[in-house]
Amino acid sequence: MAVFLADHKLPELRDRIQHKPRYFKIYNEVITKLDSVVTGFDFVVDKWPDFKAVITKPNPEIVEFEFLNNIYNVAAEDEKALSELLEQQGVINWSQGIVFACVDTTFSKVINEAIKCHGGSSDPSEPCYIQCVTQESLNVKPVPNGFKLLPLTQDDSKLVNTEWKFTGGNESLAYINKLITCLPSCCLYDPDGIIVGFAMSYHYGALGMLHVMEEHRGKGYAKVIMSHLAQKRLQTGKEAFIVIEESNAVSLKVHEGLGFKHVPNMKVVWIRYTPKGTCKGPKSCCI
């Protein structure tokens, strides 16, 4: 039987999955709830305390952002445990479009089989690598002379939302506002005070939304922005990590040059589920 964890159980869940790579996103979702950054998710396990599968699901009564209302995170150590948890009453709302986020490719077959059983269609993203950096391995690039590196402000929210490739329009604007207010970000300005580029943190801690203005690309500014953002994250005592599509050779090379390294033997996908007879579900995005 599925067990919905009360909030006072979340610190124990956090500690039990901290060093298990397959649970890295759920681990960070626990942290963001405990830190009151985004709190509108329930944590469900197949059993407690000896769980083998965990799912986070949006709680429609407390979801802060409609933009996240269809995002489910899944992780497991056992295919059978995950398969059974997906079918437990009240865990998955199979009547709506869903994005299963950051699914370890080892378990993508379990998700796809469940989708098939419910008569829907699945649309996976490109596989992605998880890359992490430590304070020891991080290669921080100096800010160019005359440039300034400052945090983003809420005045920058519309720009960030417009340039983000996974933008959800007005729905994601409120989400970005919250991230800018609560989490580390970096915005690089040229000597004239014009924005060159920026990056920020997703609610679960991944570094991303990197954007460099077209006229400033190829000059190493992305490395400056991302290395300082990673440093900010590490200074909070938390992991610094990114999610990159496996075909994005340029980004992989940039981050490897900054000291990021692949989490071994792990790739993840986002799987979009569309119920039978409905229009295409929510966009598969790196949330």
Side-chain angles (χ1 to χ4, degrees), residues 65-254:
F65 308 106
E66 290 297 323
F67 185 66
L68 303 179
N69 208 17
N70 296 310
I71 306 294
Y72 287 71
N73 300 288
V74 301
E77 300 167 54
D78 181 89
E79 289 187 4
K80 185 173 184 291
L82 177 57
S83 179
E84 291 177 351
L85 184 58
L86 288 167
E87 299 304 325
Q88 292 290 318
Q89 185 174 2
V91 176
I92 305 293
N93 181 0
W94 293 103
S95 67
Q96 66 174 15
I98 289 171
V99 173
F100 292 99
C102 205
V103 179
D104 184 338
T105 53
T106 304
F107 291 95
S108 59
K109 179 181 177 182
V110 177
I111 302 296
N112 287 324
E113 287 178 348
I115 289 172
K116 185 178 180 180
C117 285
H118 286 271
S121 61
S122 64
D123 179 18
S125 71
E126 178 183 349
C128 300
Y129 291 113
I130 311 300
Q131 289 191 323
C132 297
V133 69
T134 65
Q135 195 69 63
E136 293 72 28
S137 67
L138 179 62
N139 179 14
V140 179
K141 299 297 183 180
V143 177
N145 290 335
F147 285 62
K148 290 183 178 180
L149 192 67
L150 300 171
L152 288 162
T153 71
Q154 289 202 350
D155 289 340
D156 302 314
S157 295
K158 288 185 178 180
L159 173 63
V160 175
N161 192 43
T162 299
E163 299 296 346
W164 186 30
K165 67 178 180 179
F166 298 117
T167 183
N170 288 335
E171 288 187 6
S172 58
L173 181 60
Y175 173 71
I176 288 172
N177 266 321
K178 183 67 177 281
L179 301 185
I180 288 174
T181 301
C182 297
L183 298 172
S185 63
C186 286
C187 187
L188 185 65
Y189 295 85
D190 71 10
D192 295 322
I194 305 300
I195 291 178
V196 170
F198 53 82
M200 55 189 296
S201 310
Y202 290 99
H203 71 276
Y204 62 94
L207 311 180
M209 299 195 197
L210 173 64
H211 181 78
V212 176
M213 302 304 179
E214 189 170 356
E215 63 271 23
H216 292 294
R217 294 174 187 171
K219 301 175 183 178
Y221 297 142
K223 295 179 181 179
V224 174
I225 295 167
M226 288 303 291
S227 65
H228 283 266
L229 182 58
Q231 185 177 55
K232 282 187 174 186
R233 173 77 178 174
L234 290 168
Q235 287 171 346
T236 69
K238 296 175 180 175
E239 294 178 308
F241 63 95
I242 55 174
V243 181
I244 304 179
E245 295 94 340
E246 65 177 358
S247 67
N248 194 341
V250 173
S251 185
L252 289 169
K253 184 176 180 180
V254 165

Side-chain angles (χ1 to χ4, degrees), residues 2-65:
V3 179
F4 284 70
L5 296 182
D7 286 354
H8 72 272
K9 294 288 188 182
L10 296 183
E12 183 178 353
L13 175 63
R14 175 199 61 201
D15 295 344
R16 289 167 68 92
I17 64 178
Q18 180 175 4
H19 301 296
K20 297 181 178 182
R22 283 178 174 166
Y23 291 93
F24 91 94
K25 189 170 189 290
I26 289 181
Y27 168 75
N28 284 285
E29 293 281 0
V30 173
I31 290 175
T32 197
K33 183 164 184 173
L34 292 174
D35 289 348
S36 299
V37 177
V38 173
T39 60
F41 288 92
D42 290 330
F43 293 79
V44 190
V45 296
D46 59 319
K47 55 185 176 179
W48 185 261
D50 299 318
F51 60 88
K52 293 185 178 180
V54 184
I55 293 175
T56 73
K57 58 166 295 182
N59 184 329
E61 296 182 2
I62 56 174
V63 166
E64 298 172 78
F65 308 106

